[in-house]
Amino acid sequence: MSTVLRPHAEDLYSEELALLAKDDDRVRPPGWRLSPWAVTTYLLGDGERITPKYVGARRIVEVAVATLATDRALLLLGVPGTAKTWLSEHLAAAISGDSTLLVQGTAGTSEETIRYGWNYARLLAEGPSREAMTPSPVMRAMAEGRIARVEELTRMPSDVQDALITVLSEKTLPVPELGLEVQAQRGFNLIATANDRDRGVNELSSALRRRFNTVVLPVPASAEEEVAIVARRVGELGAALHLPETSTGQAEIRRVVTVFRELRNGLTEDGRTKLKSPSATLSTAEAISVVTSGIALAAHFGDGVLRASDVAAGIVGAVVQEPVSDRVAWREYLETVVRERADWRDFYRACREIS
């Protein structure tokens, strides 16, 4: 049994990838392990042997996959929690068999993280050489003909973002210290993720944005779709974390999703009551986290059945990010909506106790 807490997608779903590769007789772009059709099947599932990794419109996935088969990079754009990172990982796993060539964007990300760095001990002892150079994940992806991933691109400083322009336009990475360049091999491309709802965002320059084909990932269109996503991911996380068997109440998952959707949209499901939206994004990813924490509580400190009291604390913590304004919005929702629902009395009492 693997002791890895979170296996990479290519390891976790290696059997499915091998199965698709065996039966895949369609045209594969140079350097790809699967055809675009097989990559799409891997992501969306086939209803039988291949499990769905992404729940959403098929056309969105097809456009993303087709983009990577061209010379344009792919930018996955959306609010937090719309599975941008999840989709980029599985795209890289299916196309290259390697999702680990990753640059995590932060305010402190340096240009060397995009280009290359140096082993300074060897640099001082031997001078500039290939052996003293430390290639970035992007440089490695170029040299090996694989997919590179850049997470949270808009969190990087603008000058660091623009280090990608030459890579994406000329498909080459100059190394002036050695008088050489690394040219991208067939199969190389880049997937970046970004959102414009988070703080600390640096807008992309027009020159860089032109190098990307942008695909916007929407929030789940319906409550049923979001409930299905949460239930599936909670089951997968529970198995990965080896949580004790728990009776996962579908009703509680639906309740968490309903609360998040209503507060996110500023309107109750029936459209009758307008609500104040809190500052938190209340994404599907956060709903998954709330339910998973509730299952841990039910398994270790309860009777093994997921109940309202197990998810209440997680919901309050997710909603109330700003102590003043968010608490007002939450109190109003609790008293004007939750309290009036006869079948939500247990949830109302649990939230009141926590609040």
Side-chain angles (χ1 to χ4, degrees):
M1 183 179 297
S2 174
T3 59
V4 176
L5 186 60
R6 188 187 182 282
H8 298 302
E10 59 270 22
D11 299 325
L12 187 59
Y13 296 99
S14 58
E15 292 183 3
E16 293 186 13
L17 289 168
L19 189 64
L20 282 167
K22 179 182 177 182
D23 298 336
D24 188 12
D25 57 358
R26 302 189 181 221
V27 176
R28 305 181 188 185
W32 284 39
R33 295 199 170 194
L34 297 173
S35 67
W37 176 87
V39 172
T40 303
T41 301
Y42 167 75
L43 288 166
L44 297 176
D46 63 358
E48 297 177 3
R49 301 174 298 175
I50 309 300
T51 59
K53 318 302 180 302
Y54 175 77
V55 178
R58 181 179 186 86
R59 198 59 176 173
I60 288 177
V61 175
E62 290 175 343
V63 170
V65 173
T67 295
L68 294 171
T70 70
D71 64 343
R72 289 179 68 81
L74 173 65
L75 176 62
L76 298 175
L77 189 66
V79 299
T82 47
K84 299 184 296 296
T85 298
W86 181 255
L87 183 57
S88 74
E89 178 184 359
H90 284 282
L91 281 167
I95 293 171
S96 298
D98 185 359
S99 63
T100 65
L101 298 174
L102 171 69
V103 174
Q104 180 61 58
T106 68
T109 299
S110 64
E111 190 173 333
E112 288 75 17
T113 310
I114 297 290
R115 295 165 56 82
Y116 54 87
W118 297 97
N119 180 328
Y120 287 101
R122 299 196 66 166
L123 184 64
L124 291 173
E126 305 169 7
S129 67
R130 273 188 172 272
E131 291 71 26
M133 187 172 63
T134 305
S136 70
V138 175
M139 177 180 277
R140 287 180 54 202
M142 295 175 70
E144 298 169 11
R146 298 179 183 272
I147 299 292
R149 299 166 55 211
V150 178
E151 291 294 315
E152 302 291 353
L153 178 60
T154 51
R155 280 191 162 275
M156 296 180 183
S158 298
D159 57 331
V160 177
Q161 294 175 13
D162 287 345
L164 288 170
I165 292 178
T166 302
V167 171
L168 298 182
S169 60
E170 303 299 328
K171 300 298 186 290
T172 185
L173 185 53
V175 186
E177 295 91 340
L178 301 180
L180 55 82
E181 63 181 10
V182 175
Q183 292 184 300
Q185 301 301 303
R186 293 185 181 274
F188 166 74
N189 213 326
L190 186 139
I191 306 172
T193 67
N195 74 76
D196 53 8
R197 287 278 302 275
D198 211 352
R199 293 173 181 170
V201 168
N202 299 303
E203 287 294 330
L204 301 182
S205 66
S206 58
L208 181 56
R209 188 176 285 275
R210 286 196 302 271
R211 270 68 182 183
F212 284 101
N213 187 28
T214 302
V215 172
V216 179
L217 299 184
V219 296
S222 66
E224 288 70 24
E225 187 176 293
E226 192 162 2
V227 167
I229 294 171
V230 173
R232 182 180 295 111
R233 286 294 296 136
V234 164
E236 293 170 350
L237 284 172
L241 297 172
H242 297 286
L243 290 175
E245 287 292 331
T246 304
S247 177
T248 306
Q250 196 77 0
E252 294 306 327
I253 294 178
R254 178 170 290 278
R255 185 144 52 187
V256 171
V257 169
T258 298
V259 171
F260 276 32
R261 289 180 70 86
E262 289 183 332
L263 287 172
R264 191 166 64 212
N265 296 331
L267 190 69
T268 55
E269 280 190 323
D270 58 14
R272 295 179 179 178
T273 307
K274 289 186 178 181
L275 305 168
K276 292 179 181 176
S277 294
S279 60
T281 55
L282 301 179
S283 66
T284 306
E286 289 169 301
I288 293 167
S289 177
V290 167
V291 176
T292 303
S293 298
I295 288 175
L297 281 172
H300 295 297
F301 302 103
D303 59 1
V305 178
L306 185 65
R307 302 184 187 279
S309 57
D310 299 316
V311 298
I315 287 181
V316 174
V319 173
V320 183
Q321 299 291 321
E322 296 287 344
V324 178
S325 59
D326 288 352
R327 191 170 296 279
V328 171
W330 172 244
R331 290 270 188 181
E332 182 178 297
Y333 177 72
L334 202 60
E335 298 300 330
T336 61
V337 177
V338 175
R339 185 179 183 180
E340 299 304 316
R341 292 173 174 167
D343 56 340
W344 284 35
R345 295 288 171 80
D346 55 340
F347 180 69
Y348 174 75
R349 288 193 297 270
C351 290
R352 285 280 297 180
E353 289 176 8
I354 295 295
S355 298

